[in-house]
Amino acid sequence: MSIGDVFQEFRKEKGLTQEEFAEQTFLDRSSVAKIENGKRPAPKDFMLRTATTFDEPRLYLAAQEEVTDGACVPWLDNADLHRAATHYKSMEEAEEALAAMKTAPIMKRPDQLTAADREAIKITIFECVEAITALTHHVAVLCKEYTFSWLGIWKEHRAELKAKKYMN
């Protein structure tokens, strides 16, 4: 799904016309129409403004996908995103990632790895990515369901990481 498709789907879910959406995101209606139908790429500043204006996790993830060419968590638009479903799926995926991590031969240097060792590490990576995807959706669902700001949560998290000196 393109970012234009995501914007259009979101706009329609909110019951906004292209004109109303354009007014809230400071872009003209014709540009919104061109982005939605794929005739114009979405400018980075527009993607950011749209995500922050609505504080919608799905829009942040769509912007990440657009900018990174898919090297990020995709929005699961065909999954059960009820809070209970994401809760249990996240626990399941986290447990699978932890189990894989416990068996990964990470104490070996890369030149010591056998083909089976490399496969075990690759499986661990995939299990971790699946857990990241599940947990990201769970956080998104909880933020939306309980009206926490997606951006606010990430800002608090970054502040905590800086306070712990994990980042500058």
Side-chain angles (χ1 to χ4, degrees):
M1 180 177 278
S2 74
I3 194 156
D5 293 334
V6 173
F7 286 151
Q8 182 178 48
E9 184 180 282
F10 176 77
R11 177 182 60 76
K12 288 180 176 181
E13 283 175 12
K14 290 291 182 190
L16 299 171
T17 65
Q18 285 181 338
E19 185 68 37
E20 292 166 331
F21 189 75
E23 286 174 12
Q24 291 190 41
T25 57
F26 306 106
L27 198 67
D28 61 279
R29 191 213 56 79
S30 65
S31 293
V32 169
K34 288 176 184 172
I35 291 167
E36 285 184 357
N37 66 28
K39 291 183 180 172
R40 177 182 171 188
K44 289 180 186 178
D45 63 326
F46 173 71
M47 290 187 286
L48 178 60
R49 224 178 14 258
T50 302
T52 57
T53 295
F54 296 102
D55 198 20
E56 169 62 39
R58 179 174 31 155
L59 299 178
Y60 283 106
L61 293 177
Q64 283 181 333
E65 186 165 358
E66 186 77 11
V67 171
T68 65
D69 197 26
C72 62
V73 172
W75 185 256
L76 302 179
D77 57 359
N78 201 27
D80 181 356
L81 296 179
H82 183 275
R83 65 186 181 274
T86 62
H87 183 81
Y88 288 109
K89 187 63 175 174
S90 292
M91 289 191 302
E92 174 188 319
E93 294 296 348
E95 287 169 0
E96 289 174 4
L98 185 57
M101 290 170 71
K102 287 179 179 179
T103 63
I106 62 161
M107 297 307 288
K108 293 182 179 180
R109 293 187 320 262
D111 64 322
Q112 295 174 317
L113 297 176
T114 66
D117 292 337
R118 287 189 55 77
E119 185 60 24
I121 291 171
K122 187 174 182 180
I123 288 169
T124 299
I125 292 168
F126 272 97
E127 292 296 342
C128 289
V129 168
E130 288 181 357
I132 291 165
T133 299
L135 288 163
T136 299
H137 282 77
H138 188 49
V139 170
V141 166
L142 293 179
C143 283
K144 195 164 178 136
E145 182 80 20
Y146 297 108
T147 63
F148 288 100
S149 166
W150 173 264
L151 181 57
I153 293 293
W154 285 104
K155 283 185 175 185
E156 282 184 47
H157 177 58
R158 283 180 173 272
E160 186 175 307
L161 293 173
K162 285 179 181 179
K164 292 178 179 176
K165 309 274 190 233
Y166 290 137
M167 58 186 292
N168 295 323

